[in-house]
Amino acid sequence: MESYADLEYAGEYFSQRLHSEAWEATVDAVKEAALRSATRAIDRQPLSGRKGVLTQTLAFPRYPDSAIPDPVMQACCEEALALIARGNSQRRRLQEEGVQAFSLGNMSESYTPGAGKGLLSLTAKELLRPWLAGSVMIQ
């Protein structure tokens, strides 16, 4: 397995979600690559607990789960959409390279240290919150 969500799951997920036009307008090969990239980004997050089976390739499922939880598959879809929609922007590349300030004419931007790292999608971060190390669910 290379991704937490396959094209079939993602297609169903996005068919019931608003503002997924970028997904629909993308060819399947790019969608698959985005899902694999999203999975790798999720696996780079600081996760609590341990793998369900120590020899499994991906970080999920986590012990004691035996299957990948639906919120993780949804987070994979959300991150894939974010990668397609804005993952290769000039702003993102500057942040990943460690640039902390950028000016062009009258426009300027400042980035906090570490900007451009982690997940692009805030929705994906929220969906993954129960498995992120150091996060606490408040009810």
Side-chain angles (χ1 to χ4, degrees):
M1 177 176 17
E2 296 180 12
S3 175
Y4 292 125
D6 60 20
L7 283 179
E8 182 179 347
Y9 180 91
E12 177 64 25
Y13 177 79
F14 286 120
S15 73
Q16 299 180 33
R17 182 192 181 281
L18 288 172
H19 310 298
S20 58
E21 296 82 8
W23 182 264
E24 300 302 327
T26 303
V27 298
D28 285 353
V30 174
K31 290 176 183 178
E32 288 175 340
L35 289 167
R36 287 191 302 273
S37 293
T39 297
R40 289 190 299 272
I42 289 169
D43 281 0
R44 285 192 299 270
Q45 300 309 298
L47 301 171
S48 61
R50 63 179 173 87
K51 293 179 177 183
V53 177
L54 295 178
T55 57
Q56 71 191 38
T57 306
L58 301 178
F60 287 91
R62 308 294 284 174
Y63 180 82
D65 295 329
S66 59
I68 298 166
D70 202 49
V72 174
M73 293 189 288
Q74 292 171 0
C76 183
C77 292
E78 291 290 342
E79 184 65 12
L81 176 62
L83 288 166
I84 288 170
R86 63 183 192 276
N88 197 28
S89 71
Q90 179 66 24
R91 174 181 285 141
R92 177 81 173 168
R93 288 193 299 272
L94 288 171
Q95 291 171 341
E96 287 175 344
E97 292 172 6
V99 173
Q100 292 191 359
F102 174 80
S103 296
L104 182 63
N106 292 333
M107 185 196 85
S108 66
E109 291 186 352
S110 297
Y111 310 120
T112 59
K117 300 202 183 323
L119 300 176
L120 283 175
S121 169
L122 293 176
T123 302
K125 290 176 190 176
E126 287 300 316
L127 287 164
L128 292 171
R129 184 178 302 274
W131 295 279
L132 294 176
S135 65
V136 177
M137 291 295 287
I138 299 174
Q139 298 184 12

